[in-house]
Amino acid sequence: MNYYIADTHFGHSNILRMSNRPFNTIEEMDKAIIENWNGRVTDKDDVYILGDFSYKSKDPISYLKQLNGRKHLIAGNHDSKLLKDPACMDYFVEVVDLKMVNDNGTQIVCCHYPMVEWNGYYRNVLHFYGHIHNNFHNETNQYISKIKKAYNVGVDIIGFMPRTLKEISALTAS
């Protein structure tokens, strides 16, 4: 099974305020995301992390060790510390900037950043992205939300857990 998630920001206490996350502490947030993740993802599943896995964390490996699944990192703007640590890289199947995923016949372009157009846009290829969190009032979100084949898979939008293609499609349709 394939799962998708972006912008977990493990270890980043300011994200609670910046994204108005419903947790009192960063420890509470981290614990909830890890429990939600492991409650559905097995070690046979692939998890596509669309950037900003951890930020300002002193020990990103501690999070990576706890999470089930084969982890694919699509790098985000807050992953630079992670990317410079060879020990962290051992926890990922791959680390890329952009990834085309075939999810049971549905093609998905995965990138941390929202794109206006992507390879296959005119052939029903979907686009999953993160980066803009739940900032519904910024110009990018105002524009990208009108594109029916583009889906924000940030944790703030998808319920603080990795989601399947079917779940993401259902969440955004409501």
Side-chain angles (χ1 to χ4, degrees), residues 82-167:
L82 191 74
L83 295 171
K84 291 176 186 171
D85 186 340
C88 287
M89 294 298 94
D90 289 342
Y91 287 88
F92 296 106
V93 171
E94 63 185 335
V95 178
V96 296
D97 291 324
L98 184 78
K99 175 75 177 174
M100 177 76 81
V101 176
N102 182 333
D103 192 329
N104 292 315
T106 299
Q107 298 292 317
I108 306 165
V109 171
C110 296
C111 183
H112 178 64
Y113 305 99
M115 296 185 285
V116 175
E117 232 179 75
W118 51 90
N119 186 20
Y121 176 84
Y122 294 103
R123 291 182 306 283
N124 294 319
V125 173
L126 304 180
H127 170 41
F128 286 180
Y129 63 91
H131 186 64
I132 57 176
H133 296 262
N134 55 357
N135 188 352
F136 299 114
H137 303 293
N138 77 12
E139 186 177 354
T140 302
N141 199 2
Q142 296 287 316
Y143 188 82
I144 196 80
S145 65
K146 295 175 184 161
I147 301 175
K148 296 191 184 328
K149 296 179 281 187
Y151 298 90
N152 185 343
V153 298
V155 294
D156 306 294
I157 304 298
I158 63 169
F160 301 96
M161 68 183 72
R163 298 284 189 162
T164 65
L165 167 60
K166 184 176 178 179
E167 290 171 326

Side-chain angles (χ1 to χ4, degrees), residues 16-29:
L16 299 175
R17 176 186 48 79
M18 293 166 61
S19 290
N20 195 31
R21 292 189 175 178
F23 306 101
N24 294 314
T25 66
I26 193 62
E27 293 81 14
E28 180 185 341
M29 181 195 81

